[in-house]
């Protein structure tokens, strides 16, 4: 740390993203899609589009917001765009949370939430999930705190029902409830329809997972027009041209390719369910994931050992040291059928050998 680094950030522990090696691995560690974006999305990435890069993009993302509004049955004034949901979440934290109004989220969830709170000096509470790693809805009823919930939850893939989200939003009317729906397209339900009723509810969506565009960095939030106007004030104060023109066009095309995506979502969830069955047969315990990843643990072999042996065999998955009680769990992105068959073969051989590393 240099002597110039603001004292404000003393002790800030930045988010550590999953490894991003280029090639050489079956990459099941950061919940990307194993398939490319829809062909019409690729068509937008042409020299003609690139030749416009001399000009600034539309700072309002007007055409894309109109398309998203029609798709979700809301108005453009209910949508604000972000450069990935990491940025959208940052705008939301800046807009609504502060020293007097902190934020609560589960202890097992997306690791960026505590980092953003620390960066912006926002007090936060981690509410422990239950023994089965489920979010206990009662812990969030009438707590008069700002709340952030990933639904389905990050790491576990477990989803709350819409009625439960509605209770949480309805019983905390003076605070903002953020539902991070990074994985919602795989679960088949969304809290977006509730945003017309609950003015304190904001839903965050991303193109990274279910639109197969993690590299494009595109996200949006949907909520009541006055909440969105507040987020927009922060966005305009921070980075008014936050979405580049090539990504804006690609984002529009993706919304027009519904069939491609629904077909591939089905493929991914079918592969997920088949892989879960095969892993259970090998003695793994899994959460009931509604997302494009599995969360699994083996009773007999430590998570770090399975992680290391998979990595040696060219398969990258994700493991978290914190909180400690999930350190034996592995989060495994659902890849292609072939990739998951390779995973199962590797796990079979690891399980057959047992906890060999530990015994060496
Ligand atoms: N929210 C959750 C729950 C996530 O798991 C992730 C991906 N790591 C994000 C947000 C960030 O997604 P994006 O690529 O849109 O920034």
């Amino acid at each position: 740390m240099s002597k110039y680094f603001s004292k404000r950030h003393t002790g800030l522990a930045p988010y550590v993203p999953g490894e991003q090696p280029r090639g050489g691995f079956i990459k099941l560690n950061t919940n990307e899609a194993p398939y490319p974006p829809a062909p019409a999305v690729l068509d937008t990435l042409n020299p003609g589009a690139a030749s416009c890069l001399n000009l600034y993009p539309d700072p309002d993302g007007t055409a894309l917001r109109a398309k998203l509004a029609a798709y979700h049955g809301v108005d453009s004034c209910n949508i604000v765009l972000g450069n990935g949901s990491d940025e959208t979440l940052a705008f939301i934290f800046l807009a609504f949370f502060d020293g007097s109004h902190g934020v609560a989220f589960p202890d097992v969830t997306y690791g960026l939430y505590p980092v953003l709170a620390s960066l912006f000096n926002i007090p936060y509470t981690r509410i422990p999930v239950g023994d089965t790693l489920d979010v206990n809805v009662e812990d969030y009823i009438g707590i008069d705190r700002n709340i952030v919930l990933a639904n389905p939850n990050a790491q576990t893939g477990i989803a709350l029902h819409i009625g439960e989200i509605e209770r949480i939003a309805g019983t905390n009317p003076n605070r903002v409830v953020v539902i991070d729906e990074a994985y919602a397209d795989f679960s088949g339900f969304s809290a977006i329809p509730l945003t017309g009723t609950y003015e304190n509810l904001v839903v965050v969506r991303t193109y990274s997972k279910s639109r197969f565009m993690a590299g494009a960095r595109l996200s949006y939030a949907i909520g009541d027009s006055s909440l969105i106007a507040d987020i927009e004030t922060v966005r305009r104060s921070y980075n008014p041209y936050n979405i580049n023109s090539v990504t804006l066009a690609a984002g529009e095309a993706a919304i027009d390719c519904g069939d491609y995506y629904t077909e591939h979502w089905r493929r991914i969830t079918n592969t997920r369910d088949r892989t879960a069955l095969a892993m259970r047969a090998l003695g793994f315990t899994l959460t009931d994931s509604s997302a494009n990843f599995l969360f699994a643990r083996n009773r007999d072999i430590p998570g770090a050992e399975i992680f290391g042996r998979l990595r040696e065999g060219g398969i990258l998955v994700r493991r978290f040291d914190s909180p400690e009680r999930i350190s034996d769990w592995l989060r495994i992105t659902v890849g292609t059928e072939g990739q998951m068959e390779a995973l199962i073969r590797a796990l079979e051989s690891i399980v057959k050998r047992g906890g060999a590393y530990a015994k060496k």
Side-chain angles (χ1 to χ4, degrees):
M1 183 176 42
S2 81
K3 65 181 180 186
Y4 308 105
F5 196 46
S6 169
K7 297 282 171 287
R8 205 168 60 230
H9 303 311
T10 307
L12 180 65
Y15 180 72
V16 182
E19 285 177 76
Q20 299 298 343
R22 291 287 173 252
F25 283 98
I26 293 180
K27 193 173 176 306
L28 308 177
N29 68 332
T30 46
N31 295 345
E32 295 130 324
Y35 307 110
V41 173
L42 302 182
D43 288 344
T44 65
L45 308 174
N46 56 45
S51 72
C52 297
L53 288 173
N54 59 316
L55 300 177
Y56 282 106
D58 173 6
D60 298 320
T62 314
L64 176 58
R65 282 170 52 240
K67 186 142 265 179
L68 288 169
Y71 177 75
H72 287 295
V74 298
D75 290 328
S76 287
C77 64
N78 300 116
I79 298 186
V80 55
L81 302 177
N83 194 296
S85 33
D86 290 344
E87 187 184 72
T88 303
L89 288 162
F91 292 156
I92 291 171
F93 276 52
L94 275 172
F96 304 116
F97 311 157
D98 56 32
S100 29
H101 298 298
V103 58
F105 39 76
D107 63 341
V108 176
T109 191
Y110 183 33
L112 189 73
Y113 305 154
V115 176
L116 287 177
S118 304
L119 177 64
F120 301 140
N121 272 308
I122 297 161
Y124 62 92
T125 310
R126 296 179 207 244
I127 300 182
V129 296
D131 291 342
T132 50
L133 305 182
D134 288 85
V135 167
N136 180 7
V137 178
E138 299 307 321
D139 292 339
Y140 297 84
I141 300 300
I143 59 173
D144 201 29
R145 300 287 303 261
N146 295 304
I147 293 167
V148 182
L149 291 169
N151 197 46
N153 198 10
Q155 325 323 357
T156 67
I158 301 169
L160 294 177
H161 296 295
I162 290 312
E164 296 174 309
I165 305 279
E166 182 159 20
R167 274 184 73 212
I168 294 169
T171 58
N172 294 285
N174 299 318
R175 296 288 169 259
V176 171
V177 175
V178 182
I179 304 299
D180 178 350
E181 292 196 345
Y183 304 103
D185 280 324
F186 301 104
S187 77
F189 50 75
S190 169
I192 291 172
L194 296 177
T195 58
T197 309
Y198 297 94
E199 63 176 18
N200 61 327
L201 184 65
V202 59
V203 175
V204 179
R205 285 283 181 125
T206 179
Y207 277 68
S208 294
K209 318 296 180 181
S210 58
R211 297 286 170 180
F212 312 173
M213 287 171 61
R217 313 307 298 132
L218 184 58
S219 152
Y220 51 101
I222 296 188
D224 183 77
S225 58
S226 64
L227 272 197
I228 294 300
D230 293 339
I231 303 169
E232 184 64 14
T233 299
V234 171
R235 186 189 74 81
R236 285 229 166 203
S237 309
Y238 187 89
N239 186 5
Y241 298 109
N242 60 331
I243 316 296
N244 72 70
S245 43
V246 176
T247 297
L248 285 172
E252 274 189 66
I255 300 305
D256 288 332
C257 300
D259 290 348
Y260 176 86
Y261 285 106
T262 46
E263 183 197 322
H264 283 81
W265 297 341
R266 207 171 313 117
R267 200 161 162 190
I268 288 168
T269 53
N270 284 343
T271 308
R272 173 193 70 201
D273 296 343
R274 264 201 307 278
T275 308
L277 266 182
M279 288 184 70
R280 287 200 170 96
L282 288 174
F284 282 82
T285 301
L286 285 90
T287 57
D288 187 13
S289 173
S290 304
N292 67 335
F293 57 84
L294 294 165
F295 200 51
R297 174 184 65 147
N298 187 282
R299 264 185 317 275
D300 305 318
I301 312 176
E305 185 176 332
I306 302 175
F307 175 90
R309 288 171 66 179
L310 285 174
R311 198 174 192 294
E312 278 171 15
I315 300 178
L316 261 192
V317 299
R318 193 91 185 267
R319 192 185 73 82
F320 301 89
D321 283 322
S322 162
E324 219 256 311
R325 67 193 163 122
I326 62 162
S327 62
D328 270 330
W329 291 77
L330 299 172
R331 196 196 64 193
I332 303 170
T333 306
V334 177
T336 60
E337 288 85 351
Q339 289 177 325
M340 300 320 266
E341 278 160 21
L343 170 85
I344 293 298
R345 278 196 303 276
L347 290 175
E348 255 164 14
S349 113
I350 291 169
V351 167
K352 207 185 273 170
R353 277 176 63 188
Y357 277 27
K359 288 175 201 149
K360 259 190 204 164

